[in-house]
Amino acid sequence: MKTWLRRVRGTLGMGLTWAVAGGAAGTIISLGFLVRTGSRPDAPFPIMLGALGFVAGVAFSGVLRLVEGRRRFDQMSLSRFAAWGAAVGFALSATFFLAVSRGDLAFLRYFVVVGPVVAVAAAGCAAGSLALARKAQDRELLETTKDGPAVGRPEGELRKPLRNGR
């Protein structure tokens, strides 16, 4: 598969992963609203947060591509991955609030609460994305045949046996 097609597929996959997380959060918010008030909320939270999650996932994928370059998932640290996710979430929430407030400082006070919450949620999505990617990569490594080497291992290179349980 061509490199650019793999990148587009990865970006869309990241966006869809984050969209599912956003939709799940929206469903929980809607259910909480229903239980607390006894009526359905006016805003479709699962759809709104799913769309926001998709945009955030695509933006995160772009930032990750620019910053981390050609590193593989096993070469990236979870904390750094989560930090980039938090930065993207905070930047997107700041962009949203600046666009909606139109200079009204009274409206921006809500950003003090919502900005960090979105940043923490985006950090969690980033960490979860890395965990899923590593799990998929591990599964790919395990799916080897007798005839072929493990994925990512050059022909003829063998694993070094463990000595003394190490």
Side-chain angles (χ1 to χ4, degrees):
M1 185 180 295
K2 293 185 178 182
T3 305
W4 66 271
L5 193 57
R6 288 184 65 211
R7 288 181 185 156
V8 168
R9 188 185 74 180
T11 299
L12 290 176
M14 185 74 72
L16 289 174
T17 302
W18 285 43
V20 167
T27 302
I28 291 169
I29 291 170
S30 293
L31 289 175
F33 190 84
L34 181 65
V35 167
R36 184 176 177 127
T37 64
S39 64
R40 210 179 70 194
D42 293 335
F45 289 116
I47 295 170
M48 290 179 358
L49 292 180
L52 179 64
F54 182 79
V55 171
V58 168
F60 174 70
S61 182
V63 166
L64 196 63
R65 183 77 187 135
L66 288 173
V67 175
E68 295 295 331
R70 297 188 179 267
R71 290 186 184 181
R72 294 186 319 260
F73 289 124
D74 60 348
Q75 296 172 331
M76 295 180 198
S77 72
L78 188 63
S79 59
R80 187 173 167 124
F81 214 76
W84 284 117
V88 166
F90 193 78
L92 283 178
S93 63
T95 303
F96 172 76
F97 272 96
L98 289 174
V100 171
S101 71
R102 296 185 182 180
D104 183 14
L105 294 179
F107 190 74
L108 289 177
R109 67 183 171 171
Y110 295 114
F111 175 68
V112 173
V113 174
V114 175
V117 170
V118 172
V120 168
C125 283
S129 297
L130 181 61
L132 283 173
R134 284 182 176 171
K135 190 170 188 169
Q137 195 174 30
D138 288 346
R139 188 178 317 128
E140 191 175 292
L141 286 172
L142 289 175
E143 292 176 357
T144 59
T145 62
K146 293 183 223 175
D147 302 324
V151 174
R153 190 177 302 277
E155 286 283 342
E157 184 179 317
L158 301 175
R159 286 188 175 182
K160 294 179 184 176
L162 294 175
R163 295 183 191 156
N164 297 333
R166 290 187 233 168

